[in-house]
């Protein structure tokens, strides 16, 4: 668990300085520069909302509590490195504003097809730990509800379910390629006939890792981010290389590296994360404490 949570936050912090940089510019950036933790190692909404979800789950599954922590993040800078929220996406902002108006978290998220950014995917990882011992139907039900607090379109929900199932298989000590193959089977079986499956054909049919780098997109669209994170995991064999590969894709570098980092950290564990990255992470003690409290609550 510690590897996954820290892995996500470190990917976010390392990718944050390069957010919006085109891929061709990343191609001329030395790998060492990409792999240097900035000082301070600030993290964005990706990590903040992940930590909000983890903190809420320490006391059980309660959508109202999750929603209240999202509001605290926006209004008070809860679970942020600098005491204020930054990096918030439009869909997330509107949805949290709906929560503040008293709209239920079951109805606060945006449902239109244009609200399929990666804002729920980037924070969904803690549900893999929370549901690892639950039946798959229950896991997907809880995942759908948490995604829908902000991103309620079935495409975003399905992407989150795929990511959580992948992380669950990694938690079960399957190697990355076996976990990927088993995730494909599980999703195609459970969601057979789902209206959004066609949008994930590159992930579910064949091997996403076989695609060339030029064919992997790394913007803010949820399908692109899921594809990119899996591509980085499958095509590397350790945490550090997965993160560098993710940042090297350019554009939405903080979220791509966070989502890939959550998988890579779960796959390889805490010991695989360079200590200099952990030490350089802003408020690393708060992140570690949150992860430890979450872990203890699940024992």
């Amino acid at each position: 668990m510690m590897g996954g949570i820290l892995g996500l936050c470190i990917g976010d912090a390392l990718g944050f300085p390069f957010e919006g940089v085109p891929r061709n510019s990343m191609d001329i950036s030395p790998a060492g520069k990409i792999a240097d933790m900035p000082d301070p190692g600030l993290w964005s909404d990706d990590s903040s909302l992940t930590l909000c979800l983890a903190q809420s789950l320490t006391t059980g599954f309660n959508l109202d509590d999750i929603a209240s922590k999202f509001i605290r993040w926006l209004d008070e800078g809860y679970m942020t490195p600098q005491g204020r929220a930054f990096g918030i996406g439009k869909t997330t902002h509107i949805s949290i504003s709906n929560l503040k108006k008293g709209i239920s978290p079951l109805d606060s998220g945006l449902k239109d097809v244009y609200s399929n950014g990666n804002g729920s995917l980037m924070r969904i990882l803690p549900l893999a730990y929370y549901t690892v011992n639950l039946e798959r139907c229950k896991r997907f039900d809880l995942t759908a509800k948490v995604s829908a607090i902000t991103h309620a379109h079935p495409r975003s929900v399905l992407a989150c379910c795929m990511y959580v199932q992948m992380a669950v298989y990694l938690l079960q000590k399957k190697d990355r390629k076996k976990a990927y193959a088993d995730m494909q089977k599980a999703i195609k079986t459970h969601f057979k006939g789902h209206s959004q499956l066609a949008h994930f054909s590159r992930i579910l049919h064949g091997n996403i890792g076989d695609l060339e780098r030029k064919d992997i997109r790394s913007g803010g669209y949820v399908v692109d981010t899921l594809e990119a994170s899996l591509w980085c995991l499958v095509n590397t064999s350790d945490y550090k290389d997965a993160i560098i590969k993710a940042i090297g894709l350019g554009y939405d570098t903080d979220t791509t590296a966070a989502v890939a980092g959550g998988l890579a950290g779960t796959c390889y564990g805490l010991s695989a994360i360079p200590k200099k990255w952990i030490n350089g992470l802003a408020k690393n003690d708060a992140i570690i404490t949150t992860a430890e409290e979450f872990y203890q609550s699940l024992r």
Side-chain angles (χ1 to χ4, degrees):
M1 177 184 299
M2 188 68 73
I5 298 292
L6 270 173
L8 184 150
C9 295
I10 287 170
D12 180 10
L14 286 167
F16 186 64
F18 299 96
E19 185 178 15
V21 176
R23 187 173 300 179
N24 60 356
S25 295
M26 295 302 300
D27 288 339
I28 61 175
S29 294
K33 181 180 179 182
I34 295 174
D36 284 340
M37 179 65 74
D39 183 19
L42 299 178
W43 24 282
S44 72
D45 56 329
D46 308 59
S47 301
S48 291
L49 292 174
T50 298
L51 295 171
C52 285
L53 176 57
Q55 186 63 56
S56 180
L57 291 173
T58 60
T59 56
F61 187 88
N62 185 316
L63 283 176
D64 289 328
D65 187 68
I66 297 169
S68 72
K69 285 180 169 52
F70 287 1
I71 292 172
R72 285 187 63 192
W73 164 74
L74 182 61
D75 287 353
E76 305 170 18
Y78 177 67
M79 288 293 180
T80 63
Q82 290 185 305
R84 60 180 178 85
F86 63 93
I88 186 170
K90 180 180 179 181
T91 298
T92 298
H93 192 279
I94 294 172
S95 299
I96 295 178
S97 296
N98 287 339
L99 293 171
K100 292 171 65 176
K101 294 175 185 175
I103 296 174
S104 165
L106 292 172
D107 298 309
S108 56
L110 302 193
K111 301 177 176 66
D112 64 283
V113 73
Y114 299 105
S115 298
N116 277 309
N118 51 26
S120 62
L121 181 68
M122 70 187 191
R123 59 171 166 80
I124 207 73
L125 178 64
L127 274 177
Y129 306 119
Y130 188 80
T131 66
V132 65
N133 295 317
L134 299 182
E135 293 292 329
R136 189 185 299 160
C137 288
K138 184 64 173 177
R139 175 179 306 122
F140 291 152
D141 176 62
L142 297 184
T143 300
K145 288 176 178 175
V146 173
S147 174
I149 295 174
T150 56
H151 294 68
H153 190 277
R155 195 175 308 166
S156 288
V157 169
L158 182 55
C160 287
C161 288
M162 294 170 70
Y163 184 80
V164 168
Q165 188 62 44
M166 179 71 182
V168 163
Y169 285 142
L170 294 172
L171 283 170
Q172 293 173 345
K173 305 303 181 184
K174 297 184 180 185
D175 68 66
R176 67 193 193 284
K177 294 183 179 180
K178 174 64 172 171
Y180 175 46
D182 286 354
M183 181 274 287
Q184 290 176 308
K185 294 176 185 176
I187 296 299
K188 287 188 287 187
T189 299
H190 187 89
F191 292 101
K192 185 177 180 180
H194 192 285
S195 64
Q196 300 298 308
L197 278 179
H199 295 278
F200 299 92
S201 60
R202 300 206 309 176
I203 292 174
L204 294 174
H205 303 285
N207 181 1
I208 192 73
D210 290 339
L211 295 180
E212 296 184 21
R213 180 171 176 261
K214 65 180 179 62
D215 296 320
I216 298 296
R217 296 177 289 270
S218 52
Y221 175 41
V222 66
V223 177
D224 291 349
T225 303
L226 182 60
E227 286 186 348
S229 66
L230 291 168
W231 182 82
C232 291
L233 182 73
V234 172
N235 282 317
T236 54
S237 57
D238 61 32
Y239 175 83
K240 181 178 180 181
D241 287 347
I243 293 298
I244 292 174
K245 188 174 284 288
I247 297 171
L249 291 172
Y251 300 106
D252 196 7
T253 49
D254 58 334
T255 301
T256 303
V259 176
L263 291 179
T266 302
C267 182
Y268 301 114
L270 178 61
S271 62
I273 302 175
K275 287 186 172 57
K276 68 175 183 177
W277 286 356
I278 298 174
N279 294 336
L281 192 63
K283 289 194 175 180
N284 56 16
D285 54 341
I287 294 171
I288 292 169
T289 296
T290 299
E292 287 179 343
E293 290 175 351
F294 184 33
Y295 172 72
Q296 292 299 326
S297 73
L298 300 177
R299 296 186 68 182

